[in-house]
Amino acid sequence: MTLLKKIEEFQLTKKDTKKEISDFILSHKSEIAHMTLEDIQKHTYISKSSLVRFAKSLGFTGWKDFIISLLEDIYQEEKYLSTIDPDIPFNSTDNQKEIVEKIARLQIESLQDSLRSLEQSHLLQAAYSIKKANRVVVFGISPNDTLANLFRRRMISIGKVIEICPGHEMGVTAYSLSDKDLAIIISYSGNNPEKDSNTLATLAENDVTILAITSYQTSLLRERADIVLSVSSREQLIHKISSFASEESILFVLNVIYATYFSLDYDKNLDYKRRTVNRLEIKRIFGSK
């Protein structure tokens, strides 16, 4: 989720100071780069301390850090502006053709967004970490665990076993890992207090390498992870029809991790996959007779 999306969520709360600040920021995006803290205070009649607290509530150290990130977000929004709302991509008046086209455009844009955010060096680091790890365990709640299962299936097809941790066993699984293992944590926000914080604490105690697939630029997961791969961050957490964009982005990142890992030993992996497929296909042919 982008910073602008987080600010938009404050507009959904009951009327309070955060809502008033959010309303002002979102209605003055084109001018805010030229406004000082004093200017905003005069327009909103909100104290400087309240404005600073607003910035800190979003994970920043102060107003200056907040404004720098906000201006970057505004620039990115203007540069890659889409007519498709990732949260409500179609409405009741759209016909079937329009719905299909909007979903297709939204998913294409989410892939492009993720591609822009992807650090090639981090991707290579992720692939090497998977290769050297004794155990690789993916942590993620639904639907991320479903997407992870597709990744697990691809990896096992070239001989690398990946485990998917059941949601109710995250604590005990994290405790079982060591510094020779890798934990892949898929979390859109990276700020789930019940799942992320407890799991991260246990993994840190055991010196487990953490690969995060996440969106938020300021989150507990991003802060604690050793390697971070970013996904499209245009969706709200709650107020949406479905996670069309984020799920597409997560699956894309998992696919490129697989492809990068495959490329580390290309000929070996290709040969393994061919031999596995041939053996399975032969069994299917004879089994059908």
Side-chain angles (χ1 to χ4, degrees), residues 95-149:
N95 59 39
Q96 187 63 37
K97 184 174 183 293
E98 290 170 328
I99 292 172
V100 171
E101 288 177 347
K102 285 182 175 181
I103 295 301
R105 201 184 324 160
L106 174 61
Q107 294 193 323
I108 289 169
E109 288 174 357
S110 72
L111 292 179
Q112 292 171 333
D113 193 20
S114 293
L115 182 58
R116 285 190 292 269
S117 304
L118 202 58
E119 293 282 348
Q120 298 298 322
S121 59
H122 293 181
L123 182 58
L124 195 59
Q125 188 181 0
Y128 275 115
S129 295
I130 292 172
K131 184 177 181 180
K132 73 177 184 180
N134 286 349
R135 290 175 65 195
V136 179
V137 181
V138 182
F139 295 81
I141 59 175
S142 181
N144 295 335
D145 55 348
T146 301
L147 300 174
N149 261 306

Side-chain angles (χ1 to χ4, degrees), residues 117-133 135-140 144 148 151 155 160 162-163 177-188 190 196 199-200 203-204 207-215 219-231 250 252-261 264:
S117 304
L118 202 58
E119 293 282 348
Q120 298 298 322
S121 59
H122 293 181
L123 182 58
L124 195 59
Q125 188 181 0
Y128 275 115
S129 295
I130 292 172
K131 184 177 181 180
K132 73 177 184 180
R135 290 175 65 195
V136 179
V137 181
V138 182
F139 295 81
N144 295 335
F151 173 67
M155 293 298 292
K160 184 66 179 182
I162 304 289
E163 303 172 46
L177 298 177
S178 73
D179 59 356
K180 294 181 175 59
D181 303 319
L182 174 70
I184 302 176
I185 302 180
I186 307 174
S187 175
Y188 184 66
D196 294 338
T199 301
L200 286 168
L203 293 172
D207 293 323
V208 181
T209 301
I210 300 171
L211 164 59
I213 299 175
T214 189
S215 170
S219 69
L220 180 64
L221 176 57
R222 188 175 286 270
E223 179 186 323
R224 299 279 185 85
D226 300 288
I227 312 163
V228 179
L229 296 175
S230 298
V231 298
I250 290 168
F252 167 72
V253 170
L254 290 171
N255 283 342
V256 294
I257 292 173
Y258 165 75
T260 304
Y261 178 89
L264 297 181

